[in-house]
Amino acid sequence: MNTTRQGAAVNARGIGVEGPRGWAFQGIDITAEPGALIAVQGSSGSGRTCLLLALTGRMRITAGEATVAGLPLPKRMGTVRSRTAIAHVPGVVELEPALTVGEHLKEQALLGHRFQGLSASLPWGRRQKEATRARIDAALAAVRLDPGTLVKGLRTAVRDLERIEALRLSVALGIMHGPQLLAVDDVDLKLSAAERAEAWQLLRDLAQAGTTVVAAGSEAPADALVVRTTPAPATAAEAGTAPAAEADAAPADAPADAPADGSGTADSTHTHTDETDEEEAAHAYAETGRA
């Protein structure tokens, strides 16, 4: 795993994505230094997932301007995509329940070799195999996922993992090839309070090690840079006035009655009026193009 590459600075002014059904999100401002922990908060259906995809060059922004690692979006989407990674994004990149932990790790390592133009060196010799093993071990260590604690070690099927273990595996796959920015969706979905703290600490550690992390969740840690896709609730003192905070930029027309799931945490099916986030993303793809 490449641990020497600096994280990506993120700068965005008034960015948004509009599809045939309307805005997935809009009016988002972000100013973050390399190695920042950016927490995206918002009600279900407010465009959190679409924002993650836009910042990683996987969805074309249709309003505003942004740079990631100094690269302008949407002009340099392909390059941004090559320098970023996504993890735990339902409907876009997900773990396969029938595959084992080891199979996922090996597949990701092989994909990395292909992307780096090393396919011509196949079949691999001992040196390549050792390098692959080292890359996998480094990724597991970075997310503190010890195969020895799993039911069947690396042969444990994803379906048999605890939720926090599956999240750690997803993040390990995302960071394996040293991205400058990692985007993680639904960080605290259906986790206990203790597990939520574990999940955010994991991402905090990655950011402190140099990787910029953008994560969507229901509860952001106090030390994160918070970006809201829906307005923050007004306090009693602020009642009757619009909330104003550069880091907490909100879309101009975010619905006041955006639905939320009954548990108080983000649900894997995000309702956007009468459609899910996955459907919203699909519409946005059709309208704006996904490179």
Side-chain angles (χ1 to χ4, degrees), residues 2-285:
N2 182 357
T3 59
T4 61
R5 178 181 286 179
Q6 185 182 33
V10 179
N11 290 282
R13 287 292 177 269
I15 63 171
V17 169
E18 184 180 22
R21 301 294 183 88
W23 290 96
F25 68 87
Q26 65 177 131
I28 299 296
D29 296 341
I30 306 172
T31 301
E33 297 297 320
L37 174 59
I38 305 168
V40 178
Q41 285 190 297
S43 59
S44 297
S46 64
R48 297 178 307 183
T49 301
C50 293
L51 177 56
L52 298 186
L53 296 176
L55 292 176
T56 56
R58 290 161 173 83
M59 181 175 285
R60 184 179 298 274
I61 63 172
T62 57
E65 55 185 25
T67 61
V68 175
L71 300 165
L73 289 172
K75 184 177 181 180
R76 300 290 299 280
M77 286 177 65
T79 306
V80 169
R81 189 164 58 249
S82 71
R83 297 188 184 184
T84 61
I86 56 176
H88 204 248
V89 182
V92 181
V93 56
E94 299 178 287
L95 299 175
E96 171 53 54
L99 294 181
T100 67
V101 172
E103 287 169 339
H104 275 92
L105 292 167
K106 183 177 181 181
E107 178 184 54
Q108 185 69 4
L110 292 173
L111 286 174
H113 281 292
R114 190 190 69 173
F115 294 150
Q116 294 163 19
L118 300 180
S119 58
S121 65
L122 298 177
W124 294 348
R126 178 181 299 177
R127 183 178 303 177
Q128 288 87 350
K129 291 180 180 179
E130 289 177 350
T132 297
R133 181 71 258 175
R135 186 182 294 273
I136 290 174
D137 289 344
L140 290 175
V143 301
R144 297 189 298 281
L145 180 59
D146 181 3
T149 64
L150 304 180
V151 179
K152 297 180 181 179
L154 292 176
R155 297 173 62 188
T156 304
V158 165
R159 65 166 64 94
D160 296 325
L161 294 176
E162 299 292 336
R163 287 188 178 275
I164 187 65
E165 293 171 338
L167 175 63
R168 290 184 185 279
L169 175 59
S170 294
V171 173
L173 298 175
I175 66 172
M176 189 175 292
H177 302 291
Q180 290 181 269
L181 181 147
L182 174 71
V184 187
D185 200 11
D186 286 337
V187 171
D188 46 17
L189 177 65
K190 297 183 179 179
L191 297 181
S192 66
E195 290 172 333
R196 286 197 296 271
E198 283 185 45
W200 282 110
Q201 186 59 52
L202 163 64
L203 301 183
R204 184 182 296 110
D205 290 345
L206 292 176
Q208 291 176 348
T211 302
T212 301
V213 178
V214 185
S218 61
E219 297 179 18
D223 57 343
L225 171 64
V226 178
V227 175
R228 289 191 171 91
T229 52
T230 50
T235 63
E238 296 171 330
T241 62
E246 180 174 350
D248 296 348
D253 64 349
D257 59 346
D261 71 322
S263 66
T265 60
D267 187 77
S268 60
T269 304
H270 304 314
T271 305
H272 182 33
T273 308
D274 63 346
E275 64 182 333
T276 65
D277 258 3
E278 184 176 341
E279 291 169 336
E280 181 65 37
H283 292 309
Y285 288 157

